[in-house]
Amino acid sequence: QVQLVESGGGLVQPGGSLRLSCVASGSIFRDNAMGWYRQAPGKEREFLASITNRLMPNYADSVKGRFTVSREIGKNTVYLQMSSLKPEDTAVYSCNLRGITGSSRIYSYWGQGTQVTVSS
């Protein structure tokens, strides 16, 4: 199994920046992608960005130019650098790992989430 732990959330003023971190542990599949999602009260969970073990990134159009996803090889850590934050960015941000086994079985794991609040 895989465990994911996010950190780095908090309160920030509009226009500010935050860096979120997610550390994965356990039986991590070689072919995998680690990504970030968020969910605000009353809204559905939204995909933000992901990056594969081959360091191929993918971004939602809504965050291109403001958010950057990166991955630290050898430490099972993924980051989300967020800048130019807006009040509508307020949400619980969660880390996800999606992996495929040698028998082509797909697994998906989630962290507990970290709160990001953008307010003046």
Side-chain angles (χ1 to χ4, degrees):
Q1 62 178 16
V2 175
Q3 298 81 44
L4 303 172
V5 179
E6 305 98 331
S7 62
L11 176 64
V12 63
Q13 293 184 344
S17 300
L18 283 175
R19 176 184 284 188
L20 305 182
S21 300
C22 175
V23 179
S25 62
S27 301
I28 302 173
F29 311 104
R30 183 175 61 256
D31 294 330
N32 65 79
M34 298 184 69
W36 292 94
Y37 294 72
R38 69 184 179 189
Q39 187 169 24
K43 296 185 177 180
E44 296 182 353
R45 187 166 56 195
E46 175 189 15
F47 168 77
L48 300 175
S50 65
I51 185 167
T52 70
N53 60 295
R54 300 172 181 173
L55 303 183
M56 181 180 68
N58 186 32
Y59 294 96
D61 290 340
S62 61
V63 302
K64 287 183 177 178
R66 295 196 301 128
F67 293 5
T68 301
V69 65
S70 60
R71 186 165 180 168
E72 190 168 353
I73 301 298
K75 295 185 177 181
N76 299 317
T77 303
V78 65
Y79 302 94
L80 186 68
Q81 179 68 48
M82 306 184 294
S83 62
S84 301
L85 286 166
K86 301 176 288 186
E88 50 263 46
D89 293 319
T90 296
V92 174
Y93 286 68
S94 298
C95 180
N96 170 264
L97 186 146
R98 185 178 179 88
I100 184 170
T101 69
S103 59
S104 299
R105 185 171 182 177
I106 298 175
Y107 291 88
S108 182
Y109 300 91
W110 294 91
Q112 82 287 352
T114 184
Q115 176 71 45
V116 173
T117 302
V118 184
S119 177
S120 60

